[in-house]
Amino acid sequence: DTEVTQTPKHLVMGMTNKKSLKCEQHMGHRAMYWYKQKAKKPPELMFVYSYEKLSINESVPSRFSPECPNSSLLNLHLHALQPEDSALYLCASSQVPGPTYLNTEAFFGQGTRLTVV
Amino acid sequence: ELKVEQNPLFLSMQEGKNYTIYCNYSTTSDRLYWYRQDPGKSLESLFVLLSNGAVKQEGRLMASLDTKARLSTLHITAAVHDLSATYFCAVVLPAGKSTFGDGTTLTVKP
């Protein structure tokens, strides 16, 4: 199973709403990532979790709050978003790079297309 | 700050022709990845390049890495329509931060 599953696939939310994006993998990967991708742009790294601990936060606004409840799950909690936050949100997972794992190929989920109205 | 430059950004090719996409980066890197993205879809991993001189091939695509020149290439041989997509390189620093190039949108015409 080389799948990363993201739910929901599409989400429309108002600026006062609270919602969550979910990501799940069962490949035993201990690194999980959130990316944001605007139309016709490359993905931008938001957060990295390594062994369920937040290891990289790319100065993302606090209205985005990540959570890694266990080694298979990654959530992104959304609150008081702005219309400019509308984008494709991609989750990915990989082995944690190190002496044990040289091949750290990242597998991406299908993404959640978020529209903030 | 890591900068990753891809060129060309847009590439229109005839079927059967060869071409190379270039990915230059500005600082020492741990790893370099190539991805494919179809319109409205997610990213598909093509290659992971870990060391200087690494060369990997899959079908009509071949990727190479020159860490001294900080350059990776993605070579397309005898292009076919199914290769039409956007191709990204991504460079990962030892600390784990990754930066993507702007992408090359490839269109293969009959």
Side-chain angles (χ1 to χ4, degrees):
Chain A
D1 179 9
T2 57
E3 203 171 288
V4 176
T5 304
Q6 286 187 246
T7 55
K9 289 186 168 42
H10 299 275
L11 178 62
V12 179
M13 60 185 289
M15 288 188 283
T16 58
N17 291 159
K18 285 186 181 181
K19 296 285 185 185
S20 297
L21 309 185
K22 296 186 183 304
C23 175
E24 188 169 5
Q25 57 87 17
H26 295 287
M27 293 177 277
H29 290 168
R30 302 301 293 277
M32 295 186 78
Y33 312 81
W34 281 114
Y35 289 87
K36 172 182 177 179
Q37 187 178 26
K38 302 281 273 186
K40 300 192 185 303
K41 295 291 186 183
E44 295 176 7
L45 183 65
M46 300 174 72
F47 302 105
V48 180
Y49 273 82
S50 179
Y51 297 106
E52 296 85 69
K53 293 195 185 317
L54 183 64
S55 60
I56 294 175
N57 176 342
E58 289 285 53
S59 303
V60 178
S62 60
R63 56 186 185 269
F64 295 91
S65 175
E67 179 197 18
C68 190
N70 61 54
S71 60
S72 300
L73 293 174
L74 184 66
N75 298 322
L76 186 62
H77 303 297
L78 313 173
H79 174 55
L81 294 193
Q82 303 296 310
E84 58 265 28
D85 296 322
S86 299
L88 180 67
Y89 288 84
L90 293 163
C91 172
S93 72
S94 74
Q95 300 290 4
V96 176
T100 308
Y101 296 109
L102 293 181
N103 181 357
T104 53
E105 180 183 6
F107 293 85
F108 280 79
Q110 291 303 303
T112 294
R113 193 161 297 281
L114 173 67
T115 304
V116 182
V117 297
Chain B
E1 182 191 346
L2 174 60
K3 292 189 190 312
V4 180
E5 289 185 1
Q6 259 183 264
N7 67 83
L9 297 182
F10 298 94
L11 178 55
S12 181
M13 296 175 65
Q14 297 269 217
E15 277 192 331
K17 298 292 187 183
N18 304 334
Y19 209 84
T20 300
I21 299 170
Y22 297 88
C23 175
N24 288 91
Y25 55 97
S26 60
T27 63
T28 302
S29 163
D30 243 11
R31 289 157 278 147
L32 190 139
Y33 299 79
W34 284 97
Y35 295 96
R36 169 183 172 146
Q37 187 173 37
D38 291 293
K41 303 289 187 183
S42 187
L43 281 85
E44 174 191 352
S45 177
L46 296 174
F47 302 108
V48 181
L49 301 170
L50 298 176
S51 59
N52 189 41
V55 177
K56 292 196 175 179
Q57 182 160 7
E58 181 76 33
R60 299 174 189 276
L61 300 178
M62 183 173 70
S64 67
L65 178 63
D66 181 343
T67 56
K68 292 178 182 174
R70 297 179 184 160
L71 170 68
S72 180
T73 61
L74 181 67
H75 187 72
I76 303 155
T77 302
V80 293
H81 179 70
D82 285 352
L83 289 179
S84 297
T86 297
Y87 293 85
F88 291 100
C89 64
V91 178
V92 181
L93 295 179
K97 293 190 177 189
S98 62
T99 300
F100 280 69
D102 284 340
T104 297
T105 299
L106 171 65
T107 304
V108 181
K109 298 180 177 179

